[in-house]
Amino acid sequence: MREAGNPALHRFAVLTACCTFLLIIAGALVTSNQAGLSIPTWPFAYGSVFPPMVGGIRWEWSHRLAAGAVAILTAILAVYIWVRESRQWVRILGVIAFLLVVAQALLGRFTVKTFLDPPVSASHATLAELFFIVTVSLAVFTGKWWTGDVPQLHDEESPRLFTLALATSCVILVQIVLGAAFRHNAFGIIPHLIGAAVVVAMVFWTVLAVATRFRKVRDLRVAARYLEILLGLQILLGGAAYWAVLAARDAVQPTPLYVTITVAHVAVGALTFASSVFLTLRCYRILKPSHEAHTETSTERALS
Amino acid sequence: MNRKFVCWAAAFVLSAAIVGCSKSSNQSSSEGQSAAPAATKTVDMATAGSISGVVKLDGAPPKYKPINMSADPYCVKANPNPVFPDEVVTGDGGTLANVVVYVKSGAEGYSFPTPSTPVTFDQKGCMYTPHVVALMVGQELQVLNSDNTTHNIHPTPADNREWNKSQPPNAPAITDSFARPEVAIPVKCNVHPWMKGYFAVLANPLFSVTAKDGKFEIKGVPPGTYTVEAWQEKYGVLDQTVTVAASQAATSDFTFKAQ
């Protein structure tokens, strides 16, 4: 029998994950508005906590304030988990989340000090997504679904659905790195386009495996549905974002349309990654290799 | 699962750190650029001539939309009339402004003192004035802020040291200089992303920047044959070979093709 979850802790983890998602949007707004270097000093704006909120300073300073708020939330979450959580690996993950947000802040400083050096900026964008995934994972691990009884099902086919979902998550991560590298001028669009094709193939394979092997398992079916919807939206946004980048190439300043589309592409990319990891975690929780699998008490609950 | 997950997280962090640390190998790569041939001769001003001419644009200039300055109320207030980008500025008869015309080669054997007069680059009405400045290697650049709003000045050179400084209203002038020739260094304000200008850093003082009438004049040119280059931010460069006789004025006109 598994221990009952802590609803308050879970809610706080969800809050932290949601705020992290908003922070990713704030960061994307900085990049799309070309405001990353509008405040040459770090962490304060030339010694001030209240700089004039005009032009690019609005985006950059808002991003830093949001980052500070998320760092505080993460620190509280890590302590909260450490105090109230009995699972050692969840406690360690809470500490990792805190270390990641600190590393991300230092990387943010590094982007300012290196004048947005492409590898540094791309790393900052990538680490943001990894941190987001850790906060999403903590929200999942502290939730009632994870800590409660769930069915243990066989997965006798090869490759296992868990392996497939994990591989898809890794491919999406690589695609995020390629997208960040393109966005921060490290290299061209071709690698990102190839990555998109691979992601589509992997997601299609994974979703198909869910549909054919576990059509009646609602927990997996719903997670796979999130993934395919978000991927479809992301592909459309990707095409629109590339068009926006080309259209804005000779523009004297970022246009609202360019900013909206590119920020949406970053945001939905983060959600696509999160949904893939969510499916992976659900697969891990529910599916066991045939030699390990045994059915627990509430198998029927998960079946629609 | 527990150990697996922690391992994955550690691997992710490590990868990000590796990518992050891979920077800056190219940042100092320009430090060891080869020096110009040793300059031994000084210019005899008694025999020096000049090169003058007009720069024109063949074809219609691009049509620009007015700049949207709504991101900063001060900028809107400072510009009651629509403001257009300075990328291509033409005068009557297609004359072209903001073109740097300079002696690219042929003067390497001469030594030129660095001008003691600083070059000023002002931020006025949330635009750069002038849009393009030319200065010699080592010559002092003074950046002013005549606006009642904060700017940041961020040159993005390829062969010189990059810097980024903020300048609030009434702040003292920012002074700096560049160590290597570079035509031209883009400079921008990240607070006001429409603000874009250029610093043309040259190896000698034989240069001129055209005004709206497209005219330029390079004085103090020792007798000899030179490659003269005209640089424009959108249309690139044009080269001409020009011979200057002792105490004579040579003429050289340039015409860029509109794209």
Side-chain angles (χ1 to χ4, degrees), chain B residues 123-231:
Chain B
Q123 297 154 110
K124 201 172 182 180
C126 300
M127 295 291 281
Y128 288 131
T129 306
H131 178 63
V132 175
V133 296
L135 69 166
M136 193 176 154
V137 166
Q139 187 176 1
E140 186 175 295
L141 170 74
Q142 280 191 345
V143 181
L144 310 175
N145 183 6
S146 299
D147 284 332
N148 195 23
T149 190
T150 297
H151 293 289
N152 77 295
I153 302 93
H154 178 208
T156 54
D159 293 330
N160 281 281
R161 179 179 51 85
E162 186 170 352
W163 50 270
N164 181 25
K165 296 173 184 174
S166 62
Q167 196 173 33
N170 304 315
I174 293 172
T175 57
D176 213 308
S177 63
F178 296 95
R180 299 174 194 82
E182 187 172 347
V183 180
I185 301 171
V187 55
K188 59 187 175 186
C189 173
N190 303 95
V191 179
H192 308 100
W194 61 84
M195 289 178 70
K196 289 169 185 162
Y198 289 90
F199 299 150
V201 185
L202 299 148
N204 59 54
L206 307 177
F207 57 78
S208 178
V209 181
T210 61
K212 203 170 179 181
D213 61 5
K215 289 181 181 172
F216 70 91
E217 183 178 17
I218 303 171
K219 294 177 180 172
V221 184
T225 299
Y226 303 96
T227 300
V228 178
E229 186 162 272
W231 171 91

